[in-house]
């Protein structure tokens, strides 16, 4: 892909982020412009452009980190490049205006490690982020890649590997939090039938909306997952591995396949790996867009070419999994942790985190937050540190309301619980869950009833329809929530919602159904007054539920401040605003479709919503 | 439908029945949807009952039984986009194109669908037109985005 090679020594390395966030923001065009400009200035033998995986600070893309020195440039455009190359790489004067400045004080911070977003993070799963080109195996190896695997294959017995992972305290990062070592032990002990083999599966069917850690990991460091799987295979005695990746992640699929080919070519995968006599290979299966396939039995069914429907457990996949053989299913992030645990030892890993939750967790921090991006933090860190220190708080001076964790299976944690330490147990106690690591921040302009309705519409849509509680129950809950958001709800609806929630929790077949009521239960627990405002006052306090909103224009502000600018009338979607430039404008309520565009475009605060 | 391409796709998997989902994915990628004739051929060549092929084709979101527009628009309705106003963006597109979500314009230029999270939440709200991303959208930016693709 690159014309330049890394065999030569370069004075400067330019690490251009090529994660999906930055690619969507045109980082490839920025990369091309950089290369061209570097050539133009005659610096091609001194400055090397490297494309890396996701750097994490997606909010500020496209990103560029200059090594050595970790000078951090952000929000680059092609126009910035000639000036940047001339000033910094030719004349040695870093360009301040392209650096990050925090919203509150505007002083540029040149070095990546000094930026609050990066400061509080501890990188284990994401150890190579932004440091290597994910399409080059040599760069992974240069960062101690495959040394954990070599140790496991040549110096350790399978029992020793298993024991190390058990001792580390690592728990499944896909959401359930089951101890990884224990799961491995079950599969190791299970016997195959009819002369079959054992399988290990990497679950990369990341379905939670608002979560992209698996995607970033596979895109930024696919070898860490491959290495983890080989180590797991040795401990378990598995011969075949399968990585199941969402079809919506083309870049992750591409980089994973490149990595697998390279690993095979280097003899790190396939027959007799590193002359250890151990055989193991990995295949890739593409998901086909069904949220329920994140559930392990549904996932295995779809690998076999069947409908992605869950089945009752037991038997667990550890006994009867893929093709009826013992199968170990772990999440992408779990696998990526394994090489480091083997390399640095269980004791080291065990020393990070809380009593019950060890190590780190990757979260995708999104929603109403200044620093959207991917963060890896030690277990036990408080929600407050994540939202305010790393996340940089809420944009526009708005008030923080809640954090949603665990996706459609999780719940909303209110601001009163902001000091909550993040681990599996405290999140469950608060009514939510760790989940795969989506963390959606909500502010005063987010309606909690609408959020509950949103998640229910998601689970309802994704319910596979096999069991009645999930198929019919979620539909009924969604109907009630929709009624409430339209101002047609009654007090009794809340009682009925709670009853339905409980019975679905108790009787649904799989995790999707069991946890579907969580968003409703937590919002009802912590934000009941918002539900009541919709029911009793027919008002949506956050002004999200459209049927309950009324838009009006303050004529005095419109004429005196805005000079009747006419923006609202010109942008109105339904010709519901009358008036002319320089004069007062009014909303004709019968015609208004409540799209809110008038409110958005008015720069004088003349449009009111109630 | 290009028969040759279909034969090539089927040949790649050597009638391995467990590869049925991969076969359908390749057909979807090649033709933009699952043509009726292709489904019939797959059933026959792979020796899988038509009912099973159809149940797979309708279960998974990745498959469509109808051709999409020349510029398929996917509106991300993931959580981050939802709290940043994805619904209003979707409705603005519906009004601009005079179609509902799930439909294709009469001239075949655009089709409009919703997708659950494309994984670039930092750009929310986001839409994809073909393979191109458009992020940090507002209702007022939509006409400009569409203009890029209109003849």
């Amino acid at each position: 892909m690159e014309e330049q090679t890394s065999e030569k020594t370069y004075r400067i390395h330019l690490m251009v982020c090529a994660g999906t966030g930055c690619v969507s923001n045109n980082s490839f065009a920025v990369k091309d412009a950089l290369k061209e400009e570097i050539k133009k200035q005659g610096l091609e033998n001194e400055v090397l452009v490297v494309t890396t995986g996701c750097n994490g600070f997606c909010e500020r893309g496209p990103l560029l980190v200059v090594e050595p020195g970790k000078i951090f440039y952000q929000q680059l455009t092609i126009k910035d490049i000639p000036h940047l190359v001339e000033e910094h790489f030719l004349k040695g004067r870093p360009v301040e205006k392209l650096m990050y400045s925090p919203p509150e004080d505007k002083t540029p911070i040149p070095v990546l490690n000094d930026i609050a977003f990066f400061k509080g993070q501890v990188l284990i799963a994401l150890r190579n982020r932004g440091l290597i080109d994910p399409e080059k195996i040599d760069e992974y190896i240069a960062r101690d890649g495959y040394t954990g695997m070599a140790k496991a294959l040549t110096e350790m017995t399978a029992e020793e590997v298993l024991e190390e992972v058990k001792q580390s305290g690592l728990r499944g990062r896909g959401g359930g939090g089951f101890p990884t070592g224990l799961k491995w032990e079950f599969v190791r002990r299970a016997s195959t039938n009819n002369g079959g083999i054992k399988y290990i599966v990497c679950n990369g069917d990341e379905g939670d909306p608002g979560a992209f850690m698996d995607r970033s990991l596979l895109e930024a460091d696919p070898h860490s997952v491959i290495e983890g799987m080989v180590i797991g295979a040795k401990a378990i005695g598995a011969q075949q591995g399968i990585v199941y990746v969402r079809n919506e992640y083309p870049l992750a699929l591409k980089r994973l396949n490149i990595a697998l080919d390279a690993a095979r070519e280097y003899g790190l995968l396939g027959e007799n790996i590193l002359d250890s006599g151990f055989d193991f290979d990995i295949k890739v299966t593409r998901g086909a867009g069904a949220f329920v396939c994140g559930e392990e039995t549904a996932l295995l069914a779809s690998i076999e070419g069947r409908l992605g429907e869950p089945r009752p457990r037991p038997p667990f996949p550890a006994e009867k999994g893929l093709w009826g053989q013992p199968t170990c299913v772990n999440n992408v992030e779990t696998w990526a942790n394994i090489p480091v645990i083997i390399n640095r030892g269980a004791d080291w890993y065990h020393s990070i985190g809380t009593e019950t939750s060890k190590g780190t967790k990757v979260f995708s921090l999104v929603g109403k937050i200044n620093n959207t991006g991917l963060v890896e933090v030690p277990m036990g860190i408080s929600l407050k540190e994540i939202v305010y220190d790393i996340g940089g708080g809420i944009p526009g001076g708005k008030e923080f309301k809640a954090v949603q964790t665990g996706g459609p299976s999780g719940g909303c944690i209110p601001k009163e619980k902001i000091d909550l330490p993040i681990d599996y147990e405290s999140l469950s106690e608060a009514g939510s869950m760790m989940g795969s690591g989506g963390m959606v921040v909500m502010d005063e302009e987010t309606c909690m009833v609408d959020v509950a309705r949103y998640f229910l519409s998601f689970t309802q849509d994704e319910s596979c329809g096999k069991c009645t509680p999930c198929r019919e129950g979620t539909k009924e809950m969604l109907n009630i929530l929709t009624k409430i958001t339209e101002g047609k709800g009654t007090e009794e609806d809340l009682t009925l919602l709670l009853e339905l929630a409980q019975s679905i929790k108790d009787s649904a077949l799989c995790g999707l159904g069991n946890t579907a009521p969580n968003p409703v239960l937590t919002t009802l627990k912590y934000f009941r007054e918002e539900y009541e405002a919709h029911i009793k006052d027919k008002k949506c306090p956050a002004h999200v539920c459209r049927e309950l909103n009324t838009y009006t224009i303050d004529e005095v502000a419109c004429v005196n401040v805005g000079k009747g600018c006419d923006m609202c009338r010109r942008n109105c979607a339904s010709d519901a605003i009358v008036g002319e430039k320089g004069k007062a404008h009014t909303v004709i309520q019968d015609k208004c479709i409540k799209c809110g565009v008038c409110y958005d475009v008015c720069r004088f605060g003349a449009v009111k919503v109630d | 439908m290009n028969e040759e391409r279909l034969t090539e796709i089927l040949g790649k998997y050597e009638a391995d029945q467990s590869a049925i989902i991969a076969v359908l994915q390749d057909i979807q990628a090649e033709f933009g949807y699952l043509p009726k004739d292709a489904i019939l051929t797959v059933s026959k060549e792979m020796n899988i009952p038509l009912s099973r092929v159809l149940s797979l084709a309708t279960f998974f979101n990745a498959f469509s039984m109808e051709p999409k527009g020349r510029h398929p628009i996917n509106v991300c309705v993931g959580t981050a986009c939802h709290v940043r106003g994805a619904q209003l963006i979707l409705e603005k597109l519906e009004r601009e194109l005079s179609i509902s979500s799930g439909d294709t314009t009469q001239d075949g230029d655009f089709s409009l669908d919703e997708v659950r999270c494309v994984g670039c939440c930092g750009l929310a709200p986001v839409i994809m037109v073909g393979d191109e991303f458009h992020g940090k959208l507002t209702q007022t930016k939509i006409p400009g985005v569409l203009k890029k693709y209109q003849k």
Side-chain angles (χ1 to χ4, degrees), chain A residues 24-25 209-210 215 246 286-289 302 305 308 323 366-368 372 450 454 458 461-462 546 571 573 593 595, chain B residues 18 20-21 25-26 52 59-62 77-79 82-84 88 91 95 116-119 121-123 139-140:
Chain A
S24 323
N25 252 335
R215 162 182 226 160
R246 268 184 95 188
R286 290 171 290 164
S302 98
W323 311 112
V366 302
K368 305 287 189 70
T372 296
D450 174 71
Y454 166 79
F458 181 89
D461 202 32
E462 293 293 341
R546 311 252 296 276
N571 281 287
I593 59 165
C595 69
Chain B
S18 71
I20 174 71
I21 295 174
Q25 277 169 333
D26 286 1
R52 219 188 110 205
F59 181 86
F60 291 103
N61 295 333
V77 292
T79 321
H82 178 79
V83 300
R84 287 191 186 177
L88 295 168
E91 286 172 27
R95 289 196 298 272
R116 302 286 190 191
C117 200
V118 290
C121 309
L123 303 175
Q139 293 186 63
T140 40

Side-chain angles (χ1 to χ4, degrees), chain B residues 34-91:
Chain B
L34 302 178
K36 196 175 151 199
D37 290 345
I39 290 182
L40 289 166
T41 312
V42 166
S43 164
K44 199 169 135 236
E45 296 293 321
M46 295 184 76
N47 200 19
I48 297 173
L50 187 59
S51 60
R52 219 188 110 205
V53 182
L54 276 172
S55 82
L56 290 168
T58 51
F59 181 86
F60 291 103
N61 295 333
F63 304 130
S64 160
M65 308 287 279
E66 303 288 337
K68 292 287 167 200
R70 270 180 289 282
H71 304 291
I73 301 179
N74 279 298
V75 180
C76 178
V77 292
T79 321
C81 287
H82 178 79
V83 300
R84 287 191 186 177
Q87 188 59 33
L88 295 168
I89 300 294
L90 176 67
E91 286 172 27

Side-chain angles (χ1 to χ4, degrees), chain A residues 544-567:
Chain A
V544 171
C545 300
R546 311 252 296 276
E547 273 74 3
L548 306 178
N549 287 348
T550 309
Y551 290 89
T552 51
I553 298 171
D554 177 344
E555 293 190 11
V556 178
C558 178
V559 181
N560 292 356
V561 192
K563 310 274 179 244
C565 76
D566 209 33
M567 279 296 280

Side-chain angles (χ1 to χ4, degrees), chain A residues 241-262:
Chain A
I242 289 141
V243 186
Y244 189 94
V245 187
R246 268 184 95 188
N247 204 31
E248 289 88 337
Y249 290 176
L251 191 59
L253 276 162
K254 179 186 154 209
R255 292 195 178 147
L256 180 63
N257 278 315
I258 291 174
L260 286 170
D261 287 342

Side-chain angles (χ1 to χ4, degrees), chain A residues 256-531:
Chain A
L256 180 63
N257 278 315
I258 291 174
L260 286 170
D261 287 342
R264 271 185 218 110
E265 200 187 309
Y266 276 51
L268 302 169
L269 209 54
E271 284 176 18
N272 191 19
I273 301 172
L274 296 176
D275 271 333
S276 65
F278 182 68
D279 302 339
F280 179 73
D281 210 339
I282 296 175
K283 275 201 303 206
V284 179
T285 298
R286 290 171 290 164
F291 177 67
V292 71
C293 286
E295 198 280 341
E296 56 183 9
T297 60
L299 180 134
L300 296 176
S302 98
I303 295 176
E304 291 175 9
R306 296 186 288 118
L307 271 197
E309 286 181 340
R311 61 159 177 77
R313 297 174 303 178
F316 285 90
E319 287 167 67
K320 270 191 178 6
L322 197 59
W323 311 112
Q325 304 295 343
T327 303
C328 180
V329 185
N330 279 129
N331 160 272
V332 173
E333 190 185 332
T334 313
W335 290 118
N337 272 296
I338 300 291
V340 193
I341 291 176
I342 297 301
N343 246 337
R344 303 191 63 174
D347 290 341
W348 167 80
Y349 194 82
H350 199 82
S351 68
I352 305 164
T354 66
E355 191 57 37
T356 55
S357 309
K358 300 299 179 190
T360 55
K361 177 77 192 88
V362 181
F363 288 101
S364 56
L365 191 57
V366 302
K368 305 287 189 70
I369 184 100
N370 272 319
N371 300 341
T372 296
L374 203 67
V375 304
E376 182 170 3
V377 289
M379 295 279 191
I381 190 173
S382 74
L383 207 49
K384 192 177 181 175
E385 289 168 84
I386 299 182
V387 171
Y388 285 100
D389 297 346
I390 296 174
I394 316 298
K398 299 270 164 49
E399 198 185 329
F400 168 70
K401 187 189 269 184
V403 168
Q404 207 279 348
T405 69
S409 310
C412 295
I413 300 164
K415 67 165 184 269
E416 295 77 48
K417 289 192 178 286
I418 192 144
D419 290 316
L420 195 80
I422 299 298
D423 67 16
Y424 289 95
E425 279 66 29
S426 40
L427 284 172
S428 300
E429 274 162 33
S432 185
M433 64 187 282
M434 182 75 77
S436 58
M439 203 173 254
V440 187
V441 181
M442 296 167 181
D443 69 2
E444 56 187 287
E445 290 185 347
T446 314
C447 168
M448 302 315 283
V449 186
D450 174 71
V451 166
R453 196 193 65 84
Y454 166 79
F455 281 116
L456 251 292
S457 78
F458 181 89
T459 33
Q460 210 283 313
D461 202 32
E462 293 293 341
S463 170
C464 76
K466 189 169 176 177
C467 75
T468 319
C470 179
R471 187 185 62 236
E472 301 299 331
T474 56
K475 194 192 265 172
E476 211 36 58
M477 286 182 79
L478 177 61
N479 286 342
I480 295 171
L481 288 164
T482 307
K483 238 173 77 183
I484 296 174
T485 56
E486 288 171 349
K488 297 172 192 154
T490 62
E491 281 282 316
E492 293 75 56
D493 283 335
L494 297 185
T495 320
L496 187 56
L497 264 183
L498 284 171
E499 269 178 43
L500 276 165
Q502 199 53 51
S503 62
I504 297 170
K505 255 178 119 73
D506 292 342
S507 56
L509 175 63
C510 79
L512 189 154
N514 296 142
T515 56
N518 284 351
V520 180
L521 288 170
T522 51
T523 49
L524 256 175
K525 183 172 166 192
Y526 298 121
F527 302 97
R528 196 178 174 103
E529 72 287 354
E530 285 197 31
Y531 281 83

Side-chain angles (χ1 to χ4, degrees), chain A residues 16-31:
Chain A
V16 180
C17 178
T20 294
C22 282
V23 171
S24 323
N25 252 335
N26 259 335
S27 72
F28 282 137
V30 167
K31 181 197 75 176

